[in-house]
Amino acid sequence: MKANLRAMVAYTAGCAISKNSYSYIFDQFQDRVVKLEGRFDNSYVTIIESENGSELMGTIQGKEISLFNSAESSNIKIHLNDPKFTGTISDSKGFNGEVTDRIVKLYDYDEGKYYNFCLINEPGKP
């Protein structure tokens, strides 16, 4: 999974499980802060990455989030099992993870490793 998509998936799962909205996510692996705008309206979700305009759009039904990324032409499914989550992406082996407070730990099966993120509301490292 590409780094920007991985950050957006971690952000979506983190916000959904923590039931909070954040303005940024810190990607520890890339040592950078990504500005994201997330809208969670009842059964609809939109996530926009400000830097390159990448967007995820979809629905939330109970513990299932279904998203589409137009830039990558990929379908993303996230199953929430608080505090854990699992998911799949088109043409991918999938991912799983866990949310603790503002920390999101995501395992990318394609890359075969864990990635750590932190949800934040101010620019800069947490």
Side-chain angles (χ1 to χ4, degrees):
M1 170 180 356
K2 291 185 178 180
N4 68 324
L5 186 55
R6 189 169 37 244
M8 293 175 80
V9 166
Y11 174 86
T12 304
C15 289
I17 288 174
S18 70
K19 295 177 179 55
N20 284 309
S21 290
Y22 295 90
S23 300
Y24 302 88
I25 190 165
F26 175 70
D27 183 336
Q28 184 180 0
F29 183 76
Q30 292 194 339
D31 193 33
R32 74 181 198 115
V33 174
V34 179
K35 181 168 177 43
L36 294 165
E37 181 181 334
R39 294 186 193 119
F40 295 83
D41 300 320
N42 295 327
S43 63
Y44 190 73
V45 61
T46 303
I47 310 294
I48 301 169
E49 181 186 342
S50 298
E51 189 174 297
N52 65 16
S54 185
E55 185 174 53
L56 296 179
M57 294 174 41
T59 59
I60 301 174
Q61 294 180 341
K63 295 183 179 216
E64 301 292 330
I65 302 175
S66 298
L67 302 166
F68 181 72
N69 180 298
S70 56
E72 302 288 329
S73 294
S74 57
N75 291 300
I76 301 160
K77 302 263 188 211
I78 303 172
H79 176 74
L80 306 173
N81 188 16
D82 190 0
K84 298 182 180 192
F85 61 92
T86 58
T88 58
I89 299 177
S90 305
D91 303 324
S92 163
K93 294 178 183 174
F95 56 87
N96 69 39
E98 186 169 3
V99 179
T100 307
D101 296 321
R102 296 179 301 120
I103 306 300
V104 181
K105 187 175 188 178
L106 184 146
Y107 184 81
D108 183 338
Y109 286 105
D110 287 337
E111 301 296 326
K113 58 183 165 184
Y114 282 98
Y115 295 87
N116 295 309
F117 300 88
C118 183
L119 298 162
I120 52 180
N121 279 319
E122 300 292 329
K125 294 181 183 178

